[in-house]
Amino acid sequence: MIGVGTAVPAFSYSQRELLDIFGITDPRVRSVFLNSAIERRFLNLPPALPDGTRRMETQGELLQKHRTHGIEMGARSLQSCLKQAEADIDDVGYLCCVSSTGFLTPGFSALVIRELGLRPECARLDVVGMGCNAGLNGLSAVSGWARAHPGKLAVMLCIEACSAAYVFDGTMRTSVVNSLFGDGSSAVAVMAGEDEREGPALLKFASCIVPEAIDAMRYDWDDHEGKFSFYLDQDVPYVVGAHAETIIGDLLAGTGLRRDDISHWIVHSGGKKVVDSVMVNLNLTRRDLRHTTNVLRDYGNLSSGSFLFSYSALVDEGTVRPGDYGVLMTMGPGSTIETALIQWRPGDGPRFPVVPG
């Protein structure tokens, strides 16, 4: 992983500001917003009416928002990523775009190629509708392509315009969703056979799906509102927490590593209860998850790209040492937990062979 970049909209709002903007007075809903461990989120809010209230958008308008703001954010995060990777637009040989906040055909990969002028022969993939876990699903595909094309640059681009995916009906279910998500885009550049540029090696991926909890997180059609609506079961944190130890055991199996050997934990900022459940079940400290909780505090849940915001913060922190191991973890609909093992390589390479994704 030789570069990372992030981008958000121009405007951010505190949770209290959002409650005031939408005139929410229900004390139960206000409590959900104000006790979320989120301070601010970057959002593209609905248009303001002459009386200062906000007009609720149609599904068609939301899809247009997904497209317009998605391309703009995606372009900026991709350019930032390439700058850190010391690469040019023409160097990109493979582009995987990940999104769950709308549907487009052709997808973001084609639209971003046209927007930024990537080479027409750039190979591409769109991962659509997998939800918050999808960043690691996409990264697995990107690393596989990079491994098959040594020396060629592959990029994963997560584009999530979460303000283009909402229902505002005053219920507790939609209030929980509307209190949580923010807009953002993130990108990561991957190259195999690269020894000169800094960055961790992707050593292994492990995945776990919980079929009996397949309906715990879902995005489906609401006939009454005429929109797609996201559903979160109140038991999601416990489902994720209960399976966290198993998936980490699978990830480390055969590597000779123990959990204590992991120096850096980059976990999806899924929400306060989800993060707390992972922390307790994996016996992690608040310091271990500092970047996860900081991203949740400053941006909210950014869906598939959240973990790259945390990874970027770790890179900027400058505390990583050669030879350190890290774990990337994302969670989402399925219910699914995705993980990856990474290592900032020492001079003599990794302690064990790279395992295909």
Side-chain angles (χ1 to χ4, degrees):
M1 297 166 63
I2 62 172
V4 64
T6 62
V8 291
F11 301 103
S12 70
Y13 307 87
S14 72
Q15 294 288 70
R16 194 173 296 277
E17 285 173 333
L18 290 169
L19 290 169
D20 293 341
I21 286 171
F22 289 99
I24 298 172
T25 58
D26 186 327
R28 298 175 306 157
V29 176
R30 293 184 69 88
S31 178
V32 168
F33 273 70
L34 298 177
N35 293 286
S36 59
I38 297 169
E39 293 183 6
R40 302 190 71 82
R41 290 179 287 157
F42 290 81
L43 295 163
N44 291 290
L45 295 184
L49 295 172
D51 63 0
T53 61
R54 299 284 171 157
R55 178 176 64 80
M56 295 299 99
E57 295 149 299
T58 67
Q59 182 61 58
E61 289 172 324
L62 293 176
L63 289 173
Q64 185 58 42
K65 177 187 283 189
H66 166 73
R67 175 190 176 109
T68 302
H69 292 291
I71 293 172
E72 190 275 331
M73 287 191 302
R76 286 192 287 119
S77 64
L78 177 54
Q79 289 169 321
S80 176
C81 172
L82 293 178
K83 182 177 180 180
Q84 188 179 105
E86 299 180 351
D88 297 322
I89 288 290
D90 288 343
D91 295 327
V92 180
Y94 184 79
L95 177 65
C96 171
C97 288
V98 179
S99 184
S100 294
T101 55
F103 181 73
L104 294 168
T105 303
F108 275 130
S109 65
L111 297 173
V112 170
I113 286 174
R114 182 179 68 174
E115 177 74 13
L116 292 181
L118 275 70
R119 292 183 296 112
E121 60 267 33
C122 177
R124 61 189 180 90
L125 171 70
D126 285 280
V127 177
V128 179
M130 292 191 76
C132 296
N133 54 272
L136 281 182
N137 297 102
L139 188 58
S140 178
V142 165
S143 67
W145 187 93
R147 190 180 299 115
H149 300 81
K152 302 293 185 181
L153 186 67
V155 174
M156 182 186 70
L157 176 60
C158 297
I159 299 173
E160 303 289 11
C162 293
S163 59
Y166 73 89
V167 165
F168 197 76
D169 61 6
T171 65
M172 286 302 294
R173 178 180 71 83
T174 59
S175 296
V176 169
V177 172
N178 294 339
S179 73
L180 181 59
F181 291 95
D183 294 0
S185 175
S186 53
V188 60
V190 176
M191 185 179 287
E194 174 61 57
D195 298 322
E196 297 180 1
R197 283 176 267 195
E198 295 182 359
L202 288 155
L203 301 180
K204 184 181 179 183
F205 292 86
S207 177
C208 172
I209 187 169
V210 187
E212 58 269 28
I214 199 166
D215 289 328
M217 290 176 270
R218 62 182 190 270
Y219 188 53
D220 46 26
W221 186 256
D222 183 327
D223 275 329
H224 184 265
E225 296 294 326
K227 295 179 182 179
F228 286 101
S229 180
F230 192 52
Y231 175 85
L232 282 174
D233 191 283
Q234 62 182 0
D235 291 333
V236 164
Y238 312 107
V239 171
V240 170
H243 291 83
E245 190 168 10
T246 299
I247 186 62
I248 293 301
D250 291 343
L251 182 68
L252 299 183
T255 66
L257 299 174
R258 300 174 301 174
R259 227 180 292 167
D260 291 345
D261 295 318
I262 305 302
S263 300
H264 309 286
W265 294 85
I266 300 300
V267 177
H268 167 57
S269 303
K272 183 180 185 300
K273 290 183 179 179
V274 170
V275 174
D276 286 347
S277 183
V278 170
M279 181 174 67
V280 169
N281 281 275
L282 293 180
N283 196 29
L284 301 177
T285 67
R286 296 207 174 273
R287 173 170 171 75
D288 289 330
L289 296 182
R290 64 194 181 280
H291 298 303
T292 296
T293 55
N294 288 348
V295 168
L296 183 65
R297 180 194 66 205
D298 297 336
Y299 300 94
N301 182 336
L302 296 164
S303 193
S304 66
S306 290
F307 80 104
L308 288 178
F309 276 74
S310 297
Y311 171 71
S312 180
L314 174 63
V315 171
D316 291 343
E317 188 180 58
T319 58
V320 174
R321 297 173 299 177
D324 280 358
Y325 289 93
V327 165
L328 312 177
M329 176 185 285
T330 60
M331 304 83 77
S335 291
T336 308
I337 305 176
E338 302 289 340
T339 59
L341 177 66
I342 61 176
Q343 184 192 25
W344 285 262
R345 297 201 181 210
D348 57 354
R351 284 168 45 181
F352 61 91
V354 173
V355 180

